[in-house]
Structures are given as structure tokens and as C-alpha cells.
Amino acid sequence: MVEFNEDGSIKWSEDLLARKKEEPFICVLKALDEIPFSVGKKLLIDVLQGNDENKTVKKSKLNRLISFGVLSYSNEEILEVIDTLERDGFIVHKNDRYWKVLCLTIRGKEELKNPGFYRKEKKTYEETIFSEEDKLMFNNFDFFLNIFNDEQKKAIVSQKKVILCIAGAGTGKTTVLTKRIEFLLKFRDVDPKKVLAITFTRKARIEMQDRLSALGYSNVNVETFNSFSEKILRKYNNLIYGKEVRMMTYSDKIKILNAALESLSLSPRGAIEAYFKTQQLRSKSDEELYRIFLNDCYFIVDYFKSKGREMYDFSVDAKDVMSAKMMYGICKFIDEKMRSIGFRNHMDQIVDTIDFFEKHKDKIPEFDYVLVDEYQDVNDLQIKFIDLVCRDHLFCVGDPRQAIFGWRGSNISYIMDFKEKYPEAEIINLRNNYRSSKGIVDLSNETIRVMNLPDLESAVERENKIKLLNFKSDDVEFEFVIQSILAASVPKEEIFVLARTNKQLKDLSYLMLQRGIPHILKGDDMKKVIDASKGEVTLATVHAIKGLEANIVFVVGCTSMNFPCKATEHPVVDMIKVDEYDKEDEERRLFYVALSRAKEALYLSYSGKRHSSYITSNMKKMLGFKEPKAEKSWYQNRDLKDFVG
């Protein structure tokens, strides 16, 4: 029950004070539920901010509401929360007699009754603790460990059976992982054939194999989930399938998709036009649209395989029923055709291997030590796989700050809830960043403050070069990037230009081609490209650049439309992948990944009035940002040489 002081203000009890610490999303929902009449955005913001100068607030005594003044957010930040709630289906705009008002949906009311989507318990990881035994180990193996910091040393030599190493950006996780394997083989007499190291990409696998081979250990099992599974499936093909089954090629995928379209009397162009929105059709080439369409069709097929259930008609609950009906028909054809011909794809590799291991436990290879890289990216099936092959020692390395593939099925809860599954596990935090200057590290920490993870600390002595820049248009913003690249004294391959979407990159690429600036494009759904050669700038989406670094990084388009991204290039996400991951949190982590790529200089830029809500007031202070004067843009008032070179 709410009590009031003599002057009419609320007596803030401990319970009420707790309201001020709630998720902003819950605060907005509660305010809409508590205000006794329909409201628009402006009045809602005034209530949440505690603006008692508002005439309606005074007249209706809204300052007596519990929700009054619960958010010390700016207008832009609250608008971002409102936009997110609307996008996620918790609130909706409705037309009143004279204006648009905000209303709770049924889903929003349910969230208030039983908070779950937004009110999540925040996990915390304490500082790494060093025992006397640890210190003795460090001393005894000083000849082997002397170049490492204490957290790295502990990760390399810890005797615990289950270990999770939280390795932040630039903290040397690959080096630590390789060094731990070397320690086990050299000083614990572990048989190399009894060690399985699992990486996520072929590139990472080759890198680790090369490092171990250089140390004289070429017979360690270094695999990706898929390469390991493929070896098992080939070895036991007849036992598993009873007929010859082989991996699909990209050409096979095209042939089956075209056959599916023909069976439904559809042309590729007709199917694409039915699937994509008008805006996407205009902004992409036919080749790009076909490639995305193909990938999305097979993504749906894989989705049902990953869930272990037959494909159902998902068009029933889809927003665009006709498009979803078409996709269901195409995907059902693909699924049945693959089975009848005897094709398997990457999803089948792990699904079929798990199924085989569960039926034939005696066929599971025995490993004494299993080490898993990029643990923040594991999905449900990969966890099943790890549970089956790991019988004794488990060492996992990952960074929840960089979990950005929830849309692909990865589940961050496995790394965040590690202690719940393994209560006896030791958690080791690698916090020394050997990549970036202090300003960049501090700014990156601030981006994901809500995750309650230990801050990283820069171990690099460099001048801070971090800026937030506002421009009057995209053209001026891109001109700044181009002029900065031309003026930069560092090698061009040490420059990244990062964006949230492919379209931004393509627009900038066109301008750079006109200026004769050599560059490569690394984007989502683009054809695979090699890393930048000497003299080439890298233009990349944030997803495509993860794991890489550069001296100078430009992050363009830091607006409220791009971070978090309001649009999706994959309508399939709306069809079958609803509520399986928190997009808002993942978009924030994606922004963190963008910032943490920079070693020496970081330039965040945007055009228009609203920058990303992820750029907080505190971050703007760190960036030395001053709101630009209306009559002139930043670009018109500064010399580019002040910031690059």
C-alpha cells in the first residue's frame, strides 16, 4: 500500500525504492498499467521522468503514482525502450479520437503478472580467487608461465575437473587454450589422442593445429563440431544410414531449391518477390536476394531438425500467411528430397552423430580432456554433443559479452548459467586486454555495464583516440570516413569501417571505388572473401568482423535505427523463431563487439538527431561529445588531421 507525506509526496519504502531499480521495460509497462487513462508518448515520458510541471500531471495528480519519476533516463532513451516494447509486442499504438495513444497488449499484461521476458536475474561473476596452492604452482612453473598474468596462469594450470574461462576481448584466449593443452601434454603426461579441442570455425581449427604442430604436438584431436561429426558418420555410414549418404554441395542446394519451386509452379523471381519486402527488393541485387532466400529456406529445414521434430505448417501463426505458406511448401519439399536422395548438410552432421551416439554408447570415442572454444556461441545440440563425448575433464573458454548469434540458435544461458550445471566448476576471468587503449576498453566496458561482468582493464600504453561524431547527412558522414582514410598514416589493411547492415557498406563501397580506395567487403550473406591484403581497407558488418582487430575502426550509422537494428533481412525469423532469444540484449552485445575491435583509434558516427540508445550520457562524457549546433555540422568545423594520422 502506498503512503504519502503531508505535502502529498510518496513515502518511499524499501519496496517502492526497489521499483526504481527495475528493468526500464518493466517500469514502462507498469506506468501504462497504473495511469488511469490512455496516454501518448510525451505524457508517459513526463510521468516516468517525474516532470511535475506538466499540466496534465498536475491536474490528474499523476505525481502520486508509484511510477512517477522511476526512470532517470533521457527522452531518447525512454523512446528507445518504448520502441522496443512495441516491436516485441508488449504495447501497441492505437488511434484515439484525436491522437495516437499507447496501450498494453495481452502479452504486456501477462508480462506484468508474471515477469519473465524482461525481468531476468542478472548473473554476476566475482573476481578470480588465487589460493596458496595456485601461487605455489605459479612459482614452480615460473619457467613455463612467466610471460602470463595470474589469471592466465591459473587457466593454464588449474587442476579443477570443470573450468570456465571468461575471456574478454583481447585477453589472449587462443594463446591460453593452446598453452593449457601444452601443459597437459608436457607436464601431466596426458595422451594427445585422449585430448579433444573443439573450435567453431575451420579457420580457428587450422590456427590451433598450426600452433600445436609448432610445439611438436600434431596428433592432438582439434576439430570443429562438424568436422568431428563428419568423421564419425563416414566411419559408421552403413550402421547409421543403411545406404550411401553424402554431404550436400552448394550446387546441390540450388538444384533442390529450383526443383521445389518448379513443383509449386513458382519462378525464382516470383518466390523472391513474395518473400521479401519492397524495400529489400530495391536495395539488393537479384543474386543477393536469391542467396538469402536459399539460405533462409535451408535454415527453416535445419531449425526443425535442431528441435528434433517433424516440420509443421508454420504459416498458421505467421504475420504474412501467404508468404509463410509458400515457404512451408518449399521447405517440406527440400526436407523430403534430401532424405530420398541421400544428402546430409551441416545440421544433419551433428543431429545424426548425436542420435548415433545415444543409440550406441560403445562407439563414442573416449577422451580424458575436452576443451571447447567460443563457448558463448554453443546451441542446444552442441551441448548434447559435449555431454556425450566429455566423460571427465571439461575446459570451456568464452565471452558472454560477445554472444551475438542467438538468431542462429546459439544460447547465451549455457555460459551465463554454467555454475548451475556444474556447481563444482571453477570460474576464471581473463580481464587484461592486450589489444586496445584504455579509452577504448573503458568505453567498451560501459556499453555492456548491464551484464554485471567484471570490467576489462587495458594493458596497453597508448594515447586515447575516441570520438563520437554527428553529421547532417549520410553523405557528409561517409565523406568524413573517406577523407580520414586518405589522411591516415597507418597501413590501409589496419583500418576497419563497420556498419550494422550490408546496405550501408555497399553505399560507402561505391563512393570508395569512385575515389580509387582499395577495399574488401565482408558482410552477412555475402560470398566468402579472404581477409584484406596489403593496402586494402576492410568494410564489414559487425557480425562478419568478430574475432578480428585493426588500429583504426570507424563504426558508421550509430543511430537508433541501426543499434538496435529495427529491420531484419530475414523474414524467416518472424515466421519460426519468435521469443527464443532476447534481441535487445544481443544487439547491445553486437555494439560492444564493434567497439572492441579497435586498437588505437575509434570513431563512432551518425547522422540525424537520434544516436543509438546504447550510447549513454556517461559514454558521451567519455567521448567528449558536445551536441552540434544546428547551423553547422561537426565536419564543417574541424580539421580531419586533428583526429587521424
Side-chain angles (χ1 to χ4, degrees):
M1 182 176 177
V2 181
E3 295 182 7
F4 299 92
N5 297 313
E6 291 181 4
D7 62 359
S9 61
I10 295 175
K11 284 185 178 179
W12 289 98
S13 64
E14 288 187 10
D15 288 342
L16 293 182
L17 284 170
R19 281 286 299 272
K20 292 195 171 200
K21 298 179 181 179
E22 286 185 322
E23 286 280 358
F25 304 102
I26 298 295
C27 290
V28 173
L29 293 177
K30 285 189 173 181
L32 283 173
D33 186 55
E34 190 180 14
I35 297 171
F37 46 82
S38 298
V39 296
K41 287 183 178 179
K42 185 179 185 308
L43 179 56
L44 177 60
I45 290 172
D46 281 345
V47 169
L48 291 164
Q49 290 177 333
N51 181 9
D52 52 14
E53 296 300 317
N54 184 296
K55 293 180 180 179
T56 306
V57 169
K58 288 181 178 180
K59 180 180 177 182
S60 303
K61 298 183 179 180
L62 299 183
N63 59 344
R64 296 173 68 88
L65 300 177
I66 299 174
S67 297
F68 188 75
V70 294
L71 287 181
S72 56
Y73 279 40
S74 68
N75 287 14
E76 288 184 354
E77 289 169 333
I78 296 178
L79 283 171
E80 198 67 44
V81 173
I82 292 171
D83 289 347
T84 299
L85 285 166
E86 188 172 9
R87 185 193 68 221
D88 290 339
F90 291 95
I91 61 177
V92 66
H93 264 98
K94 288 187 177 179
N95 290 318
D96 206 340
R97 291 180 64 186
Y98 304 108
W99 60 80
K100 280 190 172 183
V101 295
L102 295 166
C103 301
L104 289 171
T105 62
I106 294 175
R107 190 178 185 204
K109 292 175 182 177
E110 287 298 319
E111 179 72 9
L112 280 177
K113 290 179 183 177
N114 185 26
F117 190 83
Y118 289 116
R119 180 184 282 169
K120 298 179 177 69
E121 179 186 353
K122 297 297 183 183
K123 303 291 180 181
T124 57
Y125 287 109
E126 298 177 356
E127 299 283 332
T128 304
I129 298 172
F130 301 101
S131 65
E132 290 302 317
E133 183 182 357
D134 289 331
K135 295 173 184 177
L136 183 61
M137 284 284 288
F138 298 168
N139 186 57
N140 290 341
F141 287 94
D142 181 67
F143 64 94
F144 186 72
L145 301 171
N146 58 68
I147 65 171
F148 298 99
N149 63 50
D150 285 352
E151 286 85 0
Q152 291 174 324
K153 290 176 182 178
K154 182 158 184 164
I156 293 167
V157 303
S158 175
Q159 302 301 297
K160 287 280 188 177
K161 283 197 169 186
V162 180
I163 300 166
L164 172 62
C165 185
I166 303 291
T171 57
K173 72 176 181 64
T174 304
T175 299
V176 167
L177 189 59
T178 307
K179 199 69 175 177
R180 179 168 178 82
I181 294 173
E182 183 185 0
F183 175 79
L184 294 173
L185 303 181
K186 185 175 289 186
F187 302 110
R188 289 293 178 263
D189 295 325
V190 175
D191 183 349
K193 295 178 181 178
K194 294 292 185 179
V195 176
L196 172 64
I198 304 173
T199 66
F200 263 77
T201 66
R202 182 173 177 271
K203 181 179 178 181
R205 178 192 177 202
I206 292 172
E207 180 184 354
M208 186 170 292
Q209 284 176 328
D210 289 345
R211 289 194 186 196
L212 289 170
S213 293
L215 295 170
Y217 301 109
S218 57
N219 51 352
V220 176
N221 300 284
V222 182
E223 305 283 356
T224 64
F225 286 101
N226 291 96
S227 69
F228 181 93
S229 296
E230 182 63 16
K231 288 179 179 178
I232 295 296
L233 297 179
R234 287 184 179 181
K235 183 176 181 179
Y236 299 105
N237 181 88
N238 294 337
L239 185 59
I240 296 170
Y241 300 112
K243 65 176 182 179
E244 189 65 30
V245 175
R246 69 172 177 84
M247 275 293 290
M248 290 183 78
T249 64
Y250 192 73
S251 176
D252 294 328
K253 286 186 175 184
I254 293 174
K255 289 176 183 177
I256 292 180
L257 173 58
N258 289 341
L261 295 176
E262 187 177 343
S263 73
L264 296 172
S265 301
L266 290 167
S267 67
R269 183 65 192 179
I272 286 170
E273 288 180 351
Y275 182 62
F276 289 105
K277 296 178 181 177
T278 305
Q279 183 180 356
Q280 293 170 310
L281 291 171
R282 290 174 180 169
S283 63
K284 297 184 182 302
S285 68
D286 288 349
E287 182 184 357
E288 287 174 314
L289 290 168
Y290 182 84
R291 187 161 56 246
I292 296 171
F293 179 68
L294 179 144
N295 289 338
D296 283 2
C297 288
Y298 283 92
F299 180 88
I300 293 175
V301 175
D302 286 350
Y303 174 80
F304 286 98
K305 289 177 182 177
S306 71
K307 298 300 178 184
R309 60 176 186 257
E310 292 296 317
M311 191 182 302
Y312 65 84
D313 188 353
F314 48 82
S315 66
V316 177
D317 300 319
K319 294 178 182 178
D320 187 341
V321 176
M322 293 301 293
S323 177
K325 196 78 175 176
M326 175 192 74
M327 292 297 286
Y328 170 66
I330 293 170
C331 295
K332 190 169 179 59
F333 181 96
I334 290 173
D335 188 32
E336 292 173 352
K337 197 70 172 177
M338 285 179 63
R339 296 176 195 272
S340 65
I341 293 178
F343 281 156
R344 63 171 173 262
N345 63 10
H346 288 101
M347 180 59 70
D348 293 314
Q349 283 178 319
I350 190 164
V351 168
D352 294 348
T353 300
I354 288 172
D355 183 60
F356 174 65
F357 281 167
E358 288 179 335
K359 293 176 181 176
H360 302 275
K361 296 283 177 60
D362 60 312
K363 302 297 184 184
I364 302 175
E366 294 185 6
F367 297 106
D368 294 333
Y369 289 83
V370 174
L371 303 95
V372 185
D373 194 9
E374 303 287 5
Y375 193 75
Q376 77 280 349
D377 292 333
V378 293
N379 60 33
D380 298 350
L381 283 173
Q382 289 160 347
I383 288 296
K384 273 189 180 181
F385 178 95
I386 293 168
D387 289 344
L388 284 165
V389 301
C390 182
R391 299 181 180 180
D392 200 2
H393 294 81
L394 177 64
F395 182 88
C396 301
V397 184
D399 184 10
R401 307 170 186 86
Q402 299 185 71
I404 59 173
F405 295 110
W407 56 277
R408 225 164 51 182
S410 299
N411 190 339
I412 192 176
S413 67
Y414 288 118
I415 192 168
M416 297 301 287
D417 300 338
F418 196 82
K419 268 282 193 180
E420 293 179 18
K421 182 171 183 178
Y422 303 105
E424 77 286 3
E426 180 155 57
I427 309 293
I428 302 171
N429 285 289
L430 302 189
R431 299 188 303 112
N432 284 0
N433 180 300
Y434 296 96
R435 172 189 297 162
S436 308
S437 68
K438 186 178 187 303
I440 294 170
V441 172
D442 291 347
L443 189 71
S444 300
N445 285 334
E446 197 65 26
T447 306
I448 40 86
R449 179 70 57 202
V450 296
M451 292 189 73
N452 288 343
L453 291 164
D455 281 349
L456 300 188
E457 296 179 1
S458 176
V460 178
E461 293 293 333
R462 287 198 187 106
E463 180 186 354
N464 290 328
K465 291 184 180 180
I466 54 175
K467 289 289 177 182
L468 171 61
L469 313 171
N470 178 235
F471 300 95
K472 63 183 179 182
S473 69
D474 291 348
D475 291 339
V476 181
E477 181 180 5
F478 287 168
E479 183 63 26
F480 158 74
V481 173
I482 289 172
Q483 292 298 328
S484 299
I485 291 171
L486 292 172
S489 60
V490 303
K492 296 296 184 285
E493 62 270 21
E494 279 293 338
I495 301 175
F496 287 171
V497 183
L498 308 183
R500 180 64 184 85
T501 66
N502 291 322
K503 184 181 183 306
Q504 295 165 287
L505 296 176
K506 291 168 70 175
D507 291 346
L508 180 58
S509 175
Y510 177 75
L511 295 173
M512 290 176 67
L513 284 171
Q514 290 182 319
R515 306 295 182 88
I517 302 175
H519 62 277
I520 63 165
L521 278 171
K522 296 171 72 73
D524 306 334
D525 292 305
M526 291 183 179
K527 289 181 177 178
K528 289 184 178 179
V529 294
I530 59 173
D531 293 335
S533 300
K534 187 174 181 179
E536 291 182 323
V537 176
T538 297
L539 309 188
T541 59
V542 187
H543 280 111
I545 206 69
K546 183 177 175 294
L548 302 179
E549 59 187 45
N551 283 338
I552 299 176
V553 172
F554 300 89
V555 185
V556 299
C558 295
T559 68
S560 58
M561 292 300 293
N562 294 321
F563 293 101
C565 189
K566 294 293 190 294
T568 174
E569 294 183 338
H570 305 275
V572 64
V573 173
D574 294 326
M575 291 182 188
I576 63 168
K577 284 190 67 64
V578 180
D579 300 340
E580 292 200 3
Y581 75 104
D582 190 324
K583 183 178 179 181
E584 179 74 16
D585 282 355
E586 182 153 305
E587 288 284 320
R588 187 186 301 277
R589 295 192 294 269
L590 192 67
F591 192 56
Y592 169 86
V593 169
L595 272 56
S596 59
R597 300 308 92 200
K599 294 192 286 188
E600 296 180 4
L602 173 65
Y603 303 102
L604 309 179
S605 62
Y606 71 102
S607 61
K609 295 180 180 179
R610 291 183 65 184
H611 59 65
S612 168
S613 61
Y614 299 151
I615 302 173
T616 64
S617 298
N618 194 33
M619 289 174 67
K620 285 194 282 190
K621 291 178 184 176
M622 297 168 73
L623 288 157
F625 181 71
K626 294 181 180 179
E627 299 295 339
K629 294 181 180 179
E631 68 274 10
K632 288 188 177 181
S633 71
W634 177 93
Y635 178 68
Q636 293 169 314
N637 281 299
R638 302 290 169 87
D639 186 340
L640 294 175
K641 293 180 180 179
D642 291 341
F643 300 102
V644 292

